[in-house]
Amino acid sequence: NAGVTQTPKFRVLKTGQSMTLLCAQDMNHEYMYWYRQDPGMGLRLIHYSVGEGTTAKGEVPDGYNVSRLKKQNFLLGLESAAPSQTSVYFCASSLRYGTQYFGPGTRLLVL
Amino acid sequence: KNQVEQSPQSLIILEGKNCTLQCNYTVSPFSNLRWYKQDTGRGPVSLTIMTFSENTKSNGRYTATLDADTKQSSLHITASQLSDSASYICVVSVSNRDDKIIFGKGTRLHILP
């Protein structure tokens, strides 16, 4: 099993550009999450999904959109990137109340 | 307000020494508490998980304790190794319909040779 994978690993954007981060998991987990991690801030939940076709807002959802069209995939979109969105983005998946399995992260730099 | 506080913020110890990391939480209703290890440049990896009825759980040289009455947990690392250098994150799950997960900010541990 590959576990949780994320693409791309690293990306540089200019302010105003858009992009989509892809998360895939092969563990048949219902729950999937997108976090951002900034120095000294810990992990903060952006959006999450409790099943295919469902999404919900987390702690810091502004400026991001998500979609869960397939159970194994969870997409995070930035419609108009801002320098404040420079961060490391982690995807995770889990069973309900289960251990979260994290991907390797995507490093995003917005200039 | 549901919060998870970790201490110390950072810690430096010599290889071979033991150390203890602390986690205090104000989460209700409590579901479970996990400790994760995050190596630099990687995603967090689960070390232990404890429910309300468990007060200790070991994973090799890592031993986690939980005092549900005082809402405190600790992670004890025995005979530290250079590979233990990482951030250790305490995570508490809320047992309600929102299924919230509250992350601490982590303790950054440096092991010196």
Side-chain angles (χ1 to χ4, degrees):
Chain A
N1 289 348
V4 180
T5 58
Q6 294 182 231
T7 53
K9 289 184 171 56
F10 179 71
R11 184 76 182 268
V12 179
L13 290 178
K14 294 181 179 179
T15 296
Q17 287 185 318
S18 63
M19 77 163 295
T20 300
L21 283 66
L22 172 63
C23 176
Q25 53 95 4
D26 60 3
M27 296 173 282
N28 203 35
H29 286 164
E30 289 292 336
Y31 284 47
M32 296 187 76
Y33 314 80
W34 275 108
Y35 294 92
R36 61 178 289 173
Q37 188 175 40
D38 303 293
M41 294 294 293
L43 284 155
R44 291 185 293 169
L45 182 64
I46 303 171
H47 286 280
Y48 66 100
S49 168
V50 301
E52 182 179 324
T54 71
T55 63
K57 293 181 179 179
E59 180 185 357
V60 287
D62 294 341
Y64 306 94
N65 57 74
V66 288
S67 64
R68 184 98 180 268
L69 299 179
K70 293 182 178 180
K71 185 177 184 178
Q72 64 267 35
N73 295 337
F74 196 28
L75 279 63
L76 177 70
L78 286 73
E79 291 185 347
S80 179
S84 61
Q85 293 178 304
T86 293
S87 188
V88 181
Y89 292 86
F90 287 101
C91 175
S93 73
S94 73
L95 298 172
R96 190 181 188 194
Y97 298 133
T99 296
Q100 288 185 312
Y101 293 84
F102 285 82
T106 294
R107 283 145 189 80
L108 176 64
L109 174 62
V110 183
L111 302 176
Chain B
K1 182 180 179 182
N2 290 325
Q3 285 186 316
V4 175
E5 301 286 343
Q6 292 187 243
S7 62
Q9 195 171 18
S10 64
L11 181 63
I12 302 173
I13 64 171
L14 293 175
E15 184 180 12
K17 298 296 186 182
N18 304 335
C19 67
T20 301
L21 314 180
Q22 300 290 342
C23 173
N24 296 337
Y25 61 93
T26 57
V27 173
S28 182
F30 174 88
S31 175
N32 58 61
L33 184 147
R34 298 183 178 88
W35 283 93
Y36 284 83
K37 177 186 179 187
Q38 185 176 19
D39 293 313
T40 300
R42 295 180 176 271
V45 175
S46 178
L47 292 174
T48 64
I49 176 172
M50 287 183 293
T51 59
F52 185 88
S53 59
E54 297 174 298
N55 56 23
T56 186
K57 184 76 70 79
S58 291
N59 178 359
R61 293 179 297 101
Y62 301 101
T63 299
T65 64
L66 174 65
D67 186 333
D69 292 331
T70 61
K71 299 187 176 182
Q72 296 179 325
S73 176
S74 65
L75 181 68
H76 186 75
I77 304 175
T78 303
S80 61
Q81 299 176 359
L82 296 178
S83 60
D84 293 330
S85 292
S87 287
Y88 293 84
I89 305 171
C90 177
V91 183
V92 182
S93 295
V94 182
S95 177
N96 60 25
R97 65 181 181 88
D98 291 330
D99 290 345
K100 284 192 174 180
I101 301 171
I102 315 298
F103 283 78
K105 294 184 179 180
T107 291
R108 181 68 191 166
L109 177 63
H110 302 270
I111 310 297
L112 299 180

